[in-house]
Amino acid sequence: MKRFALIGAAGFVAERHIKAIKETENELVCAMDTFDVMGRMDSYFPEAEFFTSEKELVQFLQQAKPKGKPVDYISICSPNNLHIKHIELALKNGCDVICEKPLVIDSKDLEKIKECEAESGKKVNAILQLRHHPAILKLKKDIEQSDKDFFDIDLNYITSRGKWYFKSWKGDFEKSGGIATNIGIHFFDMLTWIFGKVQKSNVSVYEATKASGELVLEKAKVNWFLSLDANDLPEVATKASKRTYRSIKVDGREIEFSNGFTDLHTVTYQKILSGNGFGVEDARESLDLIALIRSIR
């Protein structure tokens, strides 16, 4: 059984991490968030310590070692701009890391992380959960076995958000990295993982609520569209009263991958705990891409 700490415990995605820790039969011993209402933890780890400051967390980590109960992993679910700071905190305190997307906003920070990894002897694991989705794994296998050398891809991802979004850190470009970083990173990672490195990128639209462009990879041309605006939902989604729509078409053929998202964090944790997690270099291509998209928006 591994002992976990979690930073950013009040965030939406944090519950998937807490659930994954529970389902992999490990223990969350402490959590930290500046938001201090954490009733969700009672359903999973009611005995876990809870802190509202990094100082308290670091004191706990330092006191746990002499007691023979060191924290093995720190899971990071804090706002995107704080990831690099919290990764360094974890490594400097002798903990391996599991970090939500994006690993960092600025891909230049990856070198800093690698230096900290070397100094600490610990590893940073990136959450790239679409690489574990059965439909995406099948697509990767089909592409590898195909006689074709080049494909046409259409990616559409609309996940409508209310007014709260734009008053939170997610709607702050400096804190989230903008729409391509905040909601596009997993899809860009998945596409570059399957279809190869970026050759060219054009951005047609880049606004607070939506972005679109054309991407040329080694094995594909990708037309992509991302939106937070419910008005962009297609009729098939609105008729079903759905506020999220995901679509990937490969040469006009729809790849169905709408289901199975909620369990991917547990699968990711299983892989990491068995020594098969994705590291810094695995995250680099998509992080370089979103940096390029931001620079030419």
Side-chain angles (χ1 to χ4, degrees):
M1 181 180 287
K2 298 296 183 182
R3 291 165 56 82
F4 280 80
L6 189 146
I7 300 176
F12 166 78
V13 78
E15 188 162 8
R16 295 185 183 180
H17 286 256
I18 296 170
K19 183 170 178 279
I21 293 168
K22 186 76 170 180
E23 291 183 344
T24 53
E25 300 182 347
N26 293 289
E27 183 182 9
L28 181 67
V29 296
C30 68
M32 189 226 106
D33 203 293
T34 54
F35 182 74
D36 60 5
V37 180
M38 285 302 303
R40 64 165 50 154
M41 288 177 60
D42 293 344
S43 300
Y44 298 97
F45 297 99
E47 300 303 316
E49 298 290 343
F50 180 72
F51 310 115
T52 56
S53 72
E54 294 169 14
K55 182 179 178 180
E56 291 175 291
L57 173 62
V58 170
Q59 287 176 342
F60 178 88
L61 296 173
Q62 292 176 346
Q63 292 169 2
K65 289 180 183 179
K67 295 178 182 178
K69 294 183 177 181
V71 171
D72 301 295
Y73 284 88
I74 293 184
S75 297
I76 297 172
C77 305
S78 51
N80 298 348
N81 64 311
L82 298 178
H83 286 182
I84 181 63
K85 176 184 178 183
H86 291 148
I87 288 170
E88 289 182 295
L89 182 155
L91 294 175
K92 288 177 180 178
N93 282 278
C95 303
D96 287 305
V97 175
I98 298 175
C99 187
E100 254 305 329
K101 63 83 181 171
L103 197 58
V104 289
I105 291 180
D106 189 342
S107 56
K108 294 177 182 177
D109 285 333
L110 294 180
E111 298 310 318
K112 188 185 299 184
I113 292 175
K114 291 176 72 173
E115 289 176 8
C116 287
E117 281 184 318
E119 291 172 3
S120 66
K122 299 297 180 179
K123 182 182 178 181
V124 174
N125 299 276
I127 295 286
L128 304 175
Q129 74 264 37
L130 279 185
R131 297 190 186 195
H132 298 306
H133 194 295
I136 301 304
L137 288 169
K138 183 179 184 304
L139 173 61
K140 182 174 173 61
K141 184 177 180 181
D142 289 346
I143 296 302
E144 290 172 347
Q145 295 178 345
S146 174
D147 293 331
K148 286 194 66 177
D149 296 323
F150 203 77
F151 301 83
D152 286 312
I153 312 296
D154 291 293
L155 165 67
N156 288 277
Y157 180 44
I158 299 105
T159 179
S160 48
R161 294 289 185 263
K163 294 179 180 179
W164 67 268
Y165 184 96
F166 302 99
K167 292 187 177 181
S168 75
W169 66 265
K170 293 175 183 286
D172 185 325
F173 185 87
E174 297 302 319
K175 293 179 179 178
S176 72
I179 187 171
T181 307
N182 207 38
I183 75 165
I185 184 67
H186 280 314
F187 297 97
F188 291 132
D189 171 72
M190 177 268 290
L191 290 169
T192 54
W193 183 54
I194 295 175
F195 296 100
K197 293 182 179 297
V198 176
Q199 308 297 300
K200 185 179 179 182
S201 175
N202 292 316
V203 177
S204 305
V205 175
Y206 202 108
E207 301 172 359
T209 60
K210 64 192 70 182
S212 65
E214 183 182 273
L215 183 61
V216 179
L217 306 177
E218 290 174 310
K219 296 182 181 180
K221 182 182 76 172
V222 182
N223 287 302
W224 58 271
F225 176 71
L226 307 170
S227 176
L228 303 169
D229 188 346
N231 293 315
D232 290 323
L233 287 167
E235 187 177 0
V236 65
T238 55
K239 278 189 173 182
S241 299
K242 293 183 178 180
R243 291 181 58 80
T244 296
Y245 174 76
R246 305 177 184 90
S247 173
I248 293 179
K249 292 181 180 179
V250 179
D251 289 342
R253 178 173 66 90
E254 186 77 38
I255 305 300
E256 175 54 49
F257 70 116
S258 297
N259 299 317
F261 275 77
T262 56
D263 298 324
L264 293 179
H265 278 74
T266 296
V267 175
T268 299
Y269 268 65
Q270 289 169 342
K271 295 290 185 181
I272 290 170
L273 290 163
S274 66
N276 295 306
F278 296 113
V280 172
E281 288 304 319
D282 295 299
R284 186 182 294 277
E285 188 70 20
S286 58
L287 290 172
D288 282 343
L289 172 58
I290 58 173
L292 178 60
I293 290 171
R294 289 197 304 266
S295 73
I296 59 178
R297 71 184 189 279

